[in-house]
Amino acid sequence: MNRIAIVGGGISGLSAAFALEEHRSKGVAVEYVLYESSPRLGGVLRTDHVDGCIVEAGPDSFITEKPWAADLCRSLGLADQLIGSNDADRKTYILVRGKLVVMPDGLMFMVPTKILPTGASPLFSWKTKLRMAQEMFHPPRAADHDESVASLVERHYGAEMVDRLADPLLSGVYGGEAANLSVRAVLPRFAEMERTHGSLGRAMLAARKKMRQASAQQPPPLFTSLKNGMQQLAEAVVARLSPAALLANAPVQAIQRDGESWVVSAGLKSDEFDGVILAVPAYHAASLLSMCSPELSAELAGIEYSSSITVGLGYDRAVRESLPPGFGFLVPRSEGKRLLAATFVHNKFPHRAPEDRALLRCFLAGSNAASVWNSSDEEIIAVVRNDLRQILGLSAEPLFARVYKWKSAMAQYTVGHLDRLERIERLREQLPGIALAGNAYRGIGVPDCVRSGREAVKQVLS
Ligand SMILES: Cc1cc2nc3c(=O)[nH]c(=O)nc-3n(C[C@H](O)[C@H](O)[C@H](O)COP(=O)(O)OP(=O)(O)OC[C@H]3O[C@@H](n4cnc5c(N)ncnc54)[C@H](O)[C@@H]3O)c2cc1C
């Protein structure tokens, strides 16, 4: 019997457990135990139901283009629970000198592909618009080293593009800054487009043409989620696992090698396994592996993390009618606000709020979150409401407010991340039976975490 321990009960660890459960049900001689330090399973996947609204504490959806999370939902019998974002109303604003400016049509991620809407948009100065035109003639360039997203975008479009688009877009996903994040790890397509086409604009136009030729159908919604919120996914996985295999309130304190086996210690109990999947943040994996491989532990400890805060605010019909249409807005750091982004949930996923409610999801991360980290919930709500008053003119009292703090939960793929991953992989190979999963490695979003859990299972069983 192959015995596997999974450390961490977030979506990465749960996906690994579900993959093992699938093997078991097909008659493979395998057994698993999942250790979770907190009382609840799901990690940052947490949904509250307040006043008829579905309030997401952590992720609110996942990107449809990456199939692994939706595939997992289908395997769990949740196909009819999958919902798409309301892309007919998709519109995102950027705060520019205190005013919300709609992102022009034709921006693919941050690359302009339509001349007229971009040329007419007040989002960019004339200087940047001129850079965009010149960018179409950028010669191909094969970089021999990694660089930050800010550096690549600035080379192509100038600093304003970094401030107004690249940085806010990345803050919304990684809670980090474009000046620190690695192009190769975060936007590998950009590095590739620069190598093949030179101009990102020309490369995006070519990609769009190919996509149109390949499919005349309506594209799928950009984001997918679950009717009852993201926690529904974690709950559905848990319901398919053997309750005896799930140990909550069981922080793993040590992992040690004993001959061919691994000894996992949690509380006063130690247990022997053939393999261990570490589905915890890299800094926890670092401390658990410090005795087995100080080198691997040091590399894992080098992966940085950012903390974030989400604030859910519910309002009445009058506020809903007064808010602009669209999915929400992003705030460049240069605007000097604490808020980095806000989603109008009632527009993005309409059934998440009754028709007479507005639901806002506000996001703070990195230094913005750090500046209020030790404040009370009431103080954080006041800070967020002050920003909303300045940005949207919204001074109404919310019907409810919820604050969620996520300490060091978002890995930062800083410049050189892929080289670090290679070193980690080489060192991990020296510890047969150990596998790593989670958002620290090759994708921070829920779909990549699901994939990482499943791949970790293949690794420990091989
Ligand atoms: C606020 C926020 C918003 C996000 N929004 C989105 C989004 O909209 N879309 C998207 O795709 N992604 C989003 N993400 C990213 C995505 O949700 C996460 O990367 C992913 O859910 C992480 O899952 P995980 O299982 O790897 O880690 P976690 O969810 O952090 O789970 C790790 C678990 O390990 C446990 N643990 C730690 N140490 C030990 C130990 N020693 N012993 C036992 N257990 C331990 C922890 O208690 C935790 O439960 C968001 C993340 C955050 C924080």
Side-chain angles (χ1 to χ4, degrees):
M1 179 67 71
N2 212 341
R3 295 199 79 228
I4 310 294
I6 302 163
V7 187
I11 193 59
S12 305
L14 289 175
S15 303
F18 183 61
L20 286 168
E21 184 61 39
E22 283 180 316
H23 280 85
R24 218 172 62 88
S25 63
K26 286 180 194 148
V28 177
V30 65
E31 226 177 64
Y32 61 87
V33 175
L34 184 146
Y35 295 87
E36 164 56 44
S37 55
S38 75
R40 63 177 282 282
L41 295 161
V44 303
L45 267 61
R46 178 175 162 193
T47 308
D48 283 339
H49 297 259
V50 191
D51 191 27
C53 295
I54 292 177
V55 181
E56 294 288 13
D60 72 341
S61 57
F62 48 84
I63 190 151
T64 309
E65 200 188 348
K66 296 192 171 191
W68 307 288
D71 286 350
L72 174 62
C73 292
R74 288 185 201 100
S75 310
L76 292 162
L78 293 176
D80 63 341
Q81 299 294 302
L82 291 172
I83 50 164
S85 49
N86 174 30
D87 288 1
D89 284 351
R90 195 167 101 218
K91 208 185 239 188
T92 304
Y93 303 85
I94 309 276
L95 191 70
V96 178
R97 296 201 188 91
K99 293 214 158 45
L100 291 180
V101 173
V102 74
M103 268 168 72
D105 190 25
L107 275 183
M108 290 177 77
F109 197 55
M110 63 195 81
V111 177
T113 60
K114 289 189 183 168
I115 299 169
L116 281 180
T118 313
S121 169
L123 181 55
F124 306 110
S125 65
W126 282 109
K127 201 171 149 205
T128 300
K129 287 175 188 169
L130 194 64
R131 286 289 297 263
M132 289 175 184
Q134 288 167 340
E135 201 276 340
M136 293 306 243
F137 304 98
H138 197 289
R141 176 179 189 271
D144 54 1
H145 60 276
D146 196 8
E147 66 181 316
S148 70
V149 174
S151 145
L152 181 137
V153 173
E154 189 167 348
R155 275 197 292 103
H156 283 255
Y157 297 109
E160 190 179 83
M161 187 68 127
V162 176
D163 174 52
R164 294 198 183 159
L165 268 188
D167 200 55
L169 284 168
L170 289 174
S171 296
V173 179
Y174 288 88
E177 298 188 20
N180 297 330
L181 295 170
S182 146
V183 165
R184 285 189 179 175
V186 169
L187 291 173
R189 245 175 103 194
F190 276 29
E192 182 56 16
M193 290 191 301
E194 190 179 54
R195 192 181 65 76
T196 54
H197 287 76
S199 156
L200 304 179
R202 272 190 296 122
M204 279 293 190
L205 284 172
R208 210 171 60 178
K209 202 168 150 197
K210 242 192 211 162
M211 258 158 47
R212 278 214 200 104
Q213 282 164 351
S215 160
Q217 288 169 0
Q218 184 77 359
L222 191 57
F223 302 103
T224 300
S225 194
L226 285 145
K227 276 186 189 157
N228 280 320
M230 294 294 289
Q231 188 172 310
Q232 195 180 356
L233 171 56
E235 284 168 359
V237 179
V238 170
R240 296 286 286 271
L241 305 175
S242 154
L246 304 176
L247 305 184
N249 288 315
V252 171
Q253 287 118 2
I255 296 173
Q256 276 164 312
R257 192 89 195 252
D258 182 10
E260 296 280 285
S261 308
W262 293 98
V263 178
V264 173
S265 306
L268 298 174
K269 262 193 83 187
S270 293
D271 210 348
E272 234 175 78
F273 295 92
D274 302 296
V276 181
I277 295 173
L278 289 167
V280 290
Y283 49 89
H284 281 311
S287 70
L288 292 175
L289 292 173
S290 59
M291 306 284 271
C292 315
S293 169
E295 297 94 332
L296 176 55
S297 171
E299 289 291 356
L300 289 167
I303 297 177
E304 292 173 24
Y305 275 77
S306 143
S307 298
S308 48
I309 301 175
T310 58
V311 180
L313 296 169
Y315 292 95
D316 63 12
R317 185 193 293 273
V319 168
R320 182 168 176 147
E321 285 167 1
S322 72
L323 289 172
F327 282 9
F329 61 84
L330 301 169
V331 185
R333 279 168 220 277
S334 58
E335 292 290 317
K337 302 276 183 277
R338 294 284 193 18
L339 257 187
L340 286 178
T343 306
F344 304 149
V345 181
H346 52 278
N347 290 339
K348 187 176 175 185
F349 292 110
H351 48 278
R352 286 202 167 159
E355 276 177 19
D356 59 352
R357 292 284 180 269
L359 178 59
L360 266 61
R361 169 185 158 90
C362 304
F363 183 69
L364 291 79
S367 52
N368 291 29
S371 66
V372 291
W373 195 261
N374 295 321
S375 307
S376 65
D377 285 4
E378 289 67 31
E379 285 163 341
I380 293 173
I381 292 163
V383 164
V384 166
R385 285 189 63 204
N386 188 42
D387 278 357
L388 291 176
R389 191 176 47 73
Q390 291 176 19
I391 297 168
L392 296 168
L394 174 56
S395 46
E397 191 72 30
L399 300 172
F400 65 82
R402 294 287 182 281
V403 178
Y404 307 96
K405 290 181 177 173
W406 298 109
K407 178 101 185 116
S408 305
M410 285 174 144
Q412 302 293 292
Y413 300 170
T414 53
V415 176
H417 182 72
L418 295 187
D419 294 336
R420 184 190 298 281
L421 290 192
E422 270 180 32
R423 295 194 297 274
I424 287 177
E425 196 39 37
R426 274 200 302 274
L427 292 162
R428 189 205 59 80
E429 279 166 5
Q430 294 166 19
L431 304 176
I434 295 286
L436 300 165
N439 74 15
Y441 310 104
R442 298 189 188 271
I444 190 177
V446 172
D448 281 306
C449 289
V450 169
R451 182 182 49 78
S452 78
R454 297 189 76 87
E455 283 176 359
V457 166
K458 279 191 203 147
Q459 228 167 47
V460 289
L461 292 185
S462 67

